[in-house]
Amino acid sequence: MSTVTALGFDYGERRIGVAVGQSLTRTAEALVTLPVRHGQVDWPAIARLIDTWRPQQLVVGLPGTDDGQPPANADAIARFARRLNGRFKLPVAFVDERLSSYAASEDPDTRRVGLDAVAARLILETWLAGC
């Protein structure tokens, strides 16, 4: 099996955390937190990240709920994932990101790149663990 490079996203209505990782070591690195302004995703910034890292896979966190119901922002996350796929023609996988922000708040890397980027790293590492 060849090595897969992936970008992970922690989507939020105000910020999107981004991380990069690869399947050989099953590790990821928090990259950046992108602002969402007036509901508009910074697509040029995401395009630059995709041009830089050349991923074969995109991974988006989708928070699970204890009662099995979709989270309140499930439609917005699904729309973001569809737009990622449509714009960049790359496959998009979803990962249950329950408690990723809580875990990220305890991570020392949070001070450097922000909570959302660290949460994206944790989401991506969850996906990579299944590779």
Side-chain angles (χ1 to χ4, degrees), residues 60-83:
V60 176
L62 182 65
T65 59
D66 291 335
D67 63 4
Q69 297 298 312
N73 61 345
D75 289 342
I77 293 169
R79 185 170 42 255
F80 172 71
R82 281 192 309 275
R83 288 180 178 162

Side-chain angles (χ1 to χ4, degrees), residues 25 31 77 82 115:
T25 61
L31 291 176
I77 293 169
R82 281 192 309 275
L115 181 73

Side-chain angles (χ1 to χ4, degrees), residues 61-115:
L62 182 65
T65 59
D66 291 335
D67 63 4
Q69 297 298 312
N73 61 345
D75 289 342
I77 293 169
R79 185 170 42 255
F80 172 71
R82 281 192 309 275
R83 288 180 178 162
L84 277 174
N85 176 261
R87 284 175 181 263
F88 304 110
K89 307 300 185 225
L90 293 168
V92 178
F94 289 100
V95 169
D96 183 353
E97 66 152 316
R98 193 178 332 204
L99 302 179
S100 65
S101 292
Y102 175 76
S105 70
E106 302 291 317
D107 193 293
D109 218 16
T110 298
R111 293 189 97 163
R112 184 176 63 83
V113 293
L115 181 73

Side-chain angles (χ1 to χ4, degrees), residues 4-130:
V4 173
T5 299
L7 284 182
F9 297 89
D10 179 33
Y11 175 82
E13 293 180 359
R14 291 187 211 124
R15 292 176 304 280
I16 299 171
V18 186
V20 65
Q22 51 89 21
S23 62
L24 182 64
T25 61
R26 295 184 178 165
T27 59
E29 174 186 353
L31 291 176
V32 66
T33 299
L34 302 173
V36 176
R37 292 192 174 95
H38 309 292
Q40 297 300 310
V41 173
D42 189 347
W43 293 112
I46 292 175
R48 287 190 297 275
L49 290 167
I50 288 175
D51 286 343
T52 299
W53 294 100
R54 303 275 182 211
Q56 294 82 43
Q57 178 72 48
L58 305 176
V59 178
V60 176
L62 182 65
T65 59
D66 291 335
D67 63 4
Q69 297 298 312
N73 61 345
D75 289 342
I77 293 169
R79 185 170 42 255
F80 172 71
R82 281 192 309 275
R83 288 180 178 162
L84 277 174
N85 176 261
R87 284 175 181 263
F88 304 110
K89 307 300 185 225
L90 293 168
V92 178
F94 289 100
V95 169
D96 183 353
E97 66 152 316
R98 193 178 332 204
L99 302 179
S100 65
S101 292
Y102 175 76
S105 70
E106 302 291 317
D107 193 293
D109 218 16
T110 298
R111 293 189 97 163
R112 184 176 63 83
V113 293
L115 181 73
D116 300 287
V118 173
R121 188 197 81 215
L122 296 171
I123 289 164
L124 188 51
E125 286 175 343
T126 299
W127 182 83
L128 289 166

